């Protein structure tokens, strides 16, 4: 489907390039239909990763996380993660209101953590996001969206998981899905992410090789919104002085469940 | 603040040089980022040579720009987005206003974007009765001050904490503080209200990828994520050249962009956006629009001499090393883009004669080329512009900048081509120079039209004998038995 503005626009570009519509690309191919030898090597390394390799990646991640103020905390299991999160929730004060509220993703890993019990003891209400009915009528749709909006703005902590984490730059990779809204990792003052050890990958090259060629990742692709998050929000716009918490979360914690 | 434009280059540059706050800020900025970026390139696993690979990637993308844009547009539409191709700044602005009016938009939160600065989106929105709110901290500061950005990445670099404190007290009524973290907190609070109440968010596009059909936005503050997540409508503005074919090529460019822009290995936030929220998703915009802008770029594309400037990804690395930018600051360039890239792009987009001082002002030292993440030969481009100014060019409607200069160079080329006359000339000049005032051995002041040369430096007088004379005499002595 093309539009008149597009036709005219592209005609001018073609005239400038002195070319006809061209999808067959000479020289290095414009698009690839199979992984390159380098990508095959990366995918192979990904498949063969041993427990020792994974721990090495965790160490690399922790080192990269330090200078960007991302707190990476390895925990043996989900119960330990839940306890740690509850302790954190008790210690931290809400930024925008006097009351404490926590919002969490509906996600298999987060569900298994059973945060509700320890937070109940602290009398901190927990809001879990739910996928909306895709066939909801506009009114219902609006009500549910507003419900999420008020829950997320009222929360000082947002708990999510992530698809992957790149050790090289300490970057979380989150793809959009119903029930896992992106604002949970953005609007609350503190973002907590929980992942398992096998979700740590080496770098962006590995991420893109997986997204391009590995069937488990390829089916969903990048989704309509994929976010890289490397530590808390920051700015240096006033006299080049680093300040954390410009617009996004001021603090980010990453719990890595190592299964040991 | 008076209106600035490329014509006011000399005047604003002089003011910049005389401004101690600006001088200190620019020195600090260049010291930090200039060096940091060079170091970050050295630390790349592939080394700084990766920049040349990136240059090839950009060259290929631009050579297939028509196909790449067509694929990107088709994929975004398939994901429920709307794509509009704007030939001019006016078309782009009008499109935005039309969408805003159709949706009863009163407030627009903006992610930092130089292309919206280029097309003058803010004044146009205001004129249409819509409130544009800049949300990048630096942009927010200069919007409050009613000024223009003076750096592509650090728009408020020309202001110190005291300026900002006074500004915040006056405009937002906070208690005075000069602490950057308290000032940031004040902006965070004020802008959170704006994010939550805005009906539309706008952003630029750092790099789009045709293979996946995504645009990407890069920020450290998170303001772009807020502006593209919370409001009902997101409009992204993209210069037509900001695209690559494949994800593996994108990977190289993103790594270089983060290093070039802020000497980082990765910006805090990178978002990949291909459309509005999907059914079942409870946040994200209902509508996603991508405006792809020409505004003079296809004309640059058609000129093989200048096409290379379209490889630029607007990281500002060249500003952070440029000795001219480092003294005069960004406002002198009089347009959205400053520094070496501004000195090339602004004349090409707004008129070479109009913006002639920008390319004449640069030194051709080549620091920008070494800092450029995609290894653009900026000195070559500056020279090509000067050539147009010297001889005129019909395609670009350039008139020769100075007829006298052309005549003088013609006379000079005749002179140095005729040895006998040249030597007579030197003899005469050697005698004539005795009339000029001296400072030590140097000439302190030359008469017009050469007076400009000695305005800020002395002139080396002609030697007593020419090199050839000296050589002859030397030989004569050594041949003497």
């Amino acid at each position: 489907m093309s539009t008149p503005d597009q036709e005219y626009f592209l005609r001018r570009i073609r005239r400038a390039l002195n070319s006809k519509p061209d999808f067959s690309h000479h020289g290095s191919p414009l698009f690839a239909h199979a992984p390159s030898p380098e990508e095959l090597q990366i995918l192979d390394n990904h498949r063969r990763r041993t427990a020792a390799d994974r721990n090495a990646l965790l160490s690399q991640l922790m080192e990269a996380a330090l200078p960007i103020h991302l707190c990476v905390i390895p925990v043996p299991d989900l119960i330990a993660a839940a306890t740690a999160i509850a302790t954190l929730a008790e210690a931290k004060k809400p930024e925008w209101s006097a009351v404490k509220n926590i919002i969490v993703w509906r996600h298999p890993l987060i569900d298994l953590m059973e945060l509700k019990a320890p937070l109940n003891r602290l009398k901190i209400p927990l809001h879990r996001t739910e996928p909306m009915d895709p066939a909801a009528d506009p009114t219902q749709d609006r009500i549910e969206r507003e419900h999420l909006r008020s829950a997320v703005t009222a929360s000082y902590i947002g708990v999510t998981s992530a698809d992957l984490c790149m050790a090289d730059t300490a970057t979380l990779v989150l793809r959009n899905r119903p029930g896992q809204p992106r604002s949970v990792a953005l609007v609350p003052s503190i973002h907590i992410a929980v992942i398992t050890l096998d979700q740590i990958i080496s770098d962006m090259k590995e991420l893109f090789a997986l997204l391009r060629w590995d069937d488990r990742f390829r089916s969903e692709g990048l989704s309509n919104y994929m976010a890289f998050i490397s530590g808390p929000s920051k700015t240096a716009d006033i006299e080049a002085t680093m300040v954390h918490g410009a617009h996004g979360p001021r603090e980010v914690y990453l719990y890595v469940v190592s299964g040991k | 603040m008076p209106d600035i434009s490329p014509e006011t280059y000399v005047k604003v540059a002089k003011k910049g040089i005389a401004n101690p706050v600006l001088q200190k800020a620019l020195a600090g900025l260049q010291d930090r980022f200039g060096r940091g970026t060079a170091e970050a390139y050295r630390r790349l696993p592939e080394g700084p040579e990766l920049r040349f690979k990136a240059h090839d990637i950009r060259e290929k993308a631009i050579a297939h720009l028509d196909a790449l844009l067509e694929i990107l547009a088709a994929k975004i539409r398939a994901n429920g987005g709307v794509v509009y191709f704007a030939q001019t700044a006016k078309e782009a602005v009008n499109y935005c206003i039309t969408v805003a009016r159709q949706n009863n938009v009163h407030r627009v939160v903006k992610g930092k974007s130089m292309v919206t600065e280029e097309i003058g989106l803010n004044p146009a929105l205001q004129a249409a009765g819509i409130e544009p709110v800049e949300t990048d901290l630096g942009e927010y500061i200069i919007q409050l001050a009613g000024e223009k950005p003076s750096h592509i990445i650090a728009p408020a670099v020309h202001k110190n904490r005291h300026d900002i404190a006074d500004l915040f007290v006056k405009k937002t009524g906070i208690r005075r503080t000069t602490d950057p973290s308290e000032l940031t907190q004040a902006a965070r609070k004020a802008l959170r209200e704006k994010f939550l109440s805005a009906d539309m968010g706008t952003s630029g596009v750092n790099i789009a990828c045709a293979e996946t059909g995504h645009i990407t936005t890069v920020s450290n503050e998170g303001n772009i994520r807020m502006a593209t997540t919370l409001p009902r409508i997101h409009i992204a503005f993209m210069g037509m050249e900001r695209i690559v074919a494949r994800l593996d090529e994108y990977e190289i460019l993103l790594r270089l962009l983060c290093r070039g822009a802020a000497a980082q290995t990765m910006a805090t936030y990178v978002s990949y956006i291909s459309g509005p929220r999907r059914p079942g998703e409870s946040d994200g915009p209902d509508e996603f629009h991508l405006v792809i802008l020409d505004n003079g770029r296809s004309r640059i594309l058609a000129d093989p001499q200048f096409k290379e400037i379209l490889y630029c990804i607007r990281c500002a690395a060249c500003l952070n090393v440029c000795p001219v930018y480092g003294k005069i600051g960004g406002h002198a360039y009089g347009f959205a883009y400053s520094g070496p890239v501004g000195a090339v792009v602004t004349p090409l987009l707004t008129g070479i004669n109009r913006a002639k001082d920008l390319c004449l002002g640069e030194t051709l030292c080549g620091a920008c080329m070494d800092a450029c993440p995609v290894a653009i030969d900026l000195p070559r481009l500056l020279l090509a512009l000067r050539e147009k100014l010297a001889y005129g060019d019909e395609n670009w409607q350039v008139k020769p900048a100075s007829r006298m200069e052309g005549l003088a160079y013609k006379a000079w080329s005749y002179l140095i081509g005729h040895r006998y006359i040249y030597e007579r000339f030197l003899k005469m000049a050697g005698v004539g120079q005795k009339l000029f005032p001296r400072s030590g051995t140097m000439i302190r002041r030359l008469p017009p039209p050469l007076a400009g040369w000695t305005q800020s430096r002395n002139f080396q007088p002609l030697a007593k004998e020419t090199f050839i004379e000296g050589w002859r005499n030397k030989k004569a002595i050594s041949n003497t038995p």
Side-chain angles (χ1 to χ4, degrees), chain A residues 5-6 14 29 95 141 145 149 182-183 212 223-226 228 230 233-235 237 239 247-248, chain B residues 70 77 85 135 138 161 185 188 211 214 220-221 228 230 246 268 270-272 276-277 283-284 286:
Chain A
D5 52 283
Q6 174 174 340
R14 280 179 199 124
E95 182 182 359
D141 184 279
R145 293 196 63 180
R149 173 69 67 95
R182 63 217 222 192
S183 51
R212 289 177 96 198
S223 80
N224 63 335
Y225 185 92
M226 177 172 81
F228 285 2
S230 311
S233 153
K234 61 181 180 240
T235 184
D237 273 350
E239 288 192 4
H247 298 291
Chain B
E70 194 161 4
R77 286 180 183 133
F85 285 84
T135 62
R161 64 181 75 195
Q185 183 63 23
R188 172 180 169 91
E211 177 183 55
H214 285 72
N220 281 317
E221 296 185 359
T228 59
L230 298 175
R246 303 194 315 239
T268 308
V270 183
S271 300
Y272 299 73
R277 75 185 173 103
D283 67 358
D286 293 331

Side-chain angles (χ1 to χ4, degrees), chain A residues 70-84:
Chain A
L70 166 68
C71 297
V72 180
I73 304 142
V75 284
D77 51 36
L78 285 169
I79 297 170
T83 314

Side-chain angles (χ1 to χ4, degrees), chain A residues 16 51-52 67 85 89 128 185 201 225 229 235 241 255:
Chain A
I85 291 172
R128 189 175 74 161
I201 58 171
Y225 185 92
I229 301 174
T235 184
T241 310
Y255 292 94

Side-chain angles (χ1 to χ4, degrees), chain B residues 252-286:
Chain B
I252 291 174
L253 284 173
L254 180 64
R255 279 195 288 144
L256 285 165
L257 173 68
C258 295
R259 283 162 176 84
Q264 288 177 294
T265 51
M266 180 69 87
T268 308
Y269 301 109
V270 183
S271 300
Y272 299 73
I273 301 169
S274 74
R277 75 185 173 103
R278 291 175 299 188
E281 292 179 350
S282 45
D283 67 358
D286 293 331

Side-chain angles (χ1 to χ4, degrees), chain A residues 149-193:
Chain A
R149 173 69 67 95
S150 57
V152 84
T153 48
S155 298
Y156 73 124
I157 293 178
V159 184
T160 74
S161 185
D163 285 88
L164 293 163
C165 179
M166 300 187 274
D168 175 36
T169 50
T171 303
L172 291 163
V173 182
L174 280 70
R175 290 183 289 178
N176 234 31
R177 282 180 207 95
Q180 297 169 5
R182 63 217 222 192
S183 51
V184 176
L186 177 66
V187 178
S189 312
I190 299 169
H191 173 208
I192 297 175

Side-chain angles (χ1 to χ4, degrees), chain A residues 19-34:
Chain A
S19 74
K20 297 194 175 62
D22 173 18
F23 290 87
S24 65
H25 306 282
H26 32 87
S28 113
L30 200 47
F31 297 106
H33 302 287

